[in-house]
Amino acid sequence: MPMMYWRVESAAPLWRILAASGYGLWAWLGLALLLGLYPAGRNGTLVPLSVGTLLISAGLLVACLPWRGASDWYGWRPRRGSRPNRAALLALTAYLPMLAVAGLARGGNIFWATRLAGAALTLCSLSSLAYTGYRFCCQLSPSAQRAAASLPISRLVFAGYAGGLWLWLCVLALGELTTPRGLYPWIMLLLALALLLGLLEGLAWQSLAGSTTHGGAAREYALRPARFVAALFTYVIPCIALLLTRHDGIDLIAAALAVPSCLLGKCLERNLYESLLVRGAAG
């Protein structure tokens, strides 16, 4: 039964990656509001909120449509009239503080209720990310769970990395920044997250390569060219774009290239990794 469920989930990896980046965007925005570091006004707050909502709701929209292979959302099948499970309820709960932030955002966003809503948004987003990462591993066979032990923390780091890229793009697109120098600490943080994510993914692949159940090093070696392409899109292009932020006139173009590049690379990497997990469990 778990493997049948896993096969259905693996048919739609894209919306899960979009949702993780959306929750990461919400988490960063909520944290910035809590700390009083996002005085972007109402429009500057509503734009990243809306982007995150679209990213997170993509999977729910797909689950409500009559498409084969993508009929559930975190294990919940809304088209069949069933009740949301725990993962879906956690994902839906994050919409409540999002609506509160949307209603309270105004001026310099220094109102205590706005900060409190931002804290709730961050907490709910991180809770959903953590639980869905844990649930993701629980659907695997015991041997696959051992090989994928770092996936929950890797999901959180990816959400922070991709969500940070989205927030970077939104800030630049809105023109809320008076000087590019204000982004330098943010750029360094995103570069550090990219490095940490790369290390975690490397450990995950190394663990999978050392598992005899999942084909060992032979299959992992055969996937290295595709993994290199995925890493190019996930890390190299976005990091170069981050380093180009100091150059006026191309910072927005660089951000607009970095975000889809990261999502495309991660989608490719997850397809490769999860296909190897499924193949090993089936074999």
Side-chain angles (χ1 to χ4, degrees), residues 207-242:
S207 177
L208 197 59
S211 173
T212 55
T213 306
H214 293 84
R219 289 178 177 173
E220 188 272 341
Y221 182 80
L223 294 177
R224 285 186 181 179
R227 285 180 55 201
F228 176 80
V229 175
L232 178 68
F233 283 107
T234 308
Y235 305 108
V236 178
I237 295 178
C239 287
I240 291 176
L242 287 168

Side-chain angles (χ1 to χ4, degrees), residues 78-246:
R79 290 183 60 236
R80 297 187 179 182
S82 60
R83 293 184 178 181
N85 58 10
R86 188 176 301 175
L89 282 175
L90 277 174
L92 290 170
T93 300
Y95 283 80
L96 298 178
M98 180 274 295
L99 293 173
V101 170
L104 293 168
R106 66 191 72 254
N109 289 322
I110 58 174
F111 185 42
W112 65 268
T114 307
R115 293 191 174 192
L116 185 61
L121 181 62
T122 298
L123 180 61
C124 291
S125 298
L126 293 179
S127 298
S128 178
L129 286 167
Y131 183 78
T132 51
Y134 168 77
R135 171 181 169 274
F136 187 89
C137 288
C138 288
Q139 305 300 323
L140 302 171
S141 65
S143 61
Q145 289 182 24
R146 290 190 294 270
S150 64
L151 279 182
I153 184 65
S154 177
R155 177 180 173 83
L156 283 170
V157 175
F158 168 73
Y161 174 51
L165 290 176
W166 273 114
L167 187 57
W168 171 47
L169 175 59
C170 291
V171 169
L172 290 178
L174 290 167
E176 296 288 346
L177 214 61
T178 57
T179 170
R181 293 184 180 274
L183 274 178
Y184 287 171
W186 182 249
I187 298 306
M188 297 305 298
L189 177 60
L190 292 181
L191 291 174
L193 286 175
L195 177 61
L196 179 58
L197 180 62
L199 290 175
L200 289 172
E201 287 188 353
L203 290 174
W205 277 98
Q206 185 177 2
S207 177
L208 197 59
S211 173
T212 55
T213 306
H214 293 84
R219 289 178 177 173
E220 188 272 341
Y221 182 80
L223 294 177
R224 285 186 181 179
R227 285 180 55 201
F228 176 80
V229 175
L232 178 68
F233 283 107
T234 308
Y235 305 108
V236 178
I237 295 178
C239 287
I240 291 176
L242 287 168
L243 294 174
L244 291 175
T245 301
R246 65 181 63 190

Side-chain angles (χ1 to χ4, degrees), residues 17-42:
I17 292 171
L18 293 177
S21 66
Y23 280 120
L25 173 57
W26 277 3
W28 280 123
L29 179 62
L31 182 61
L33 290 171
L34 172 63
L35 298 177
L37 300 176
Y38 197 79
R42 183 167 180 81

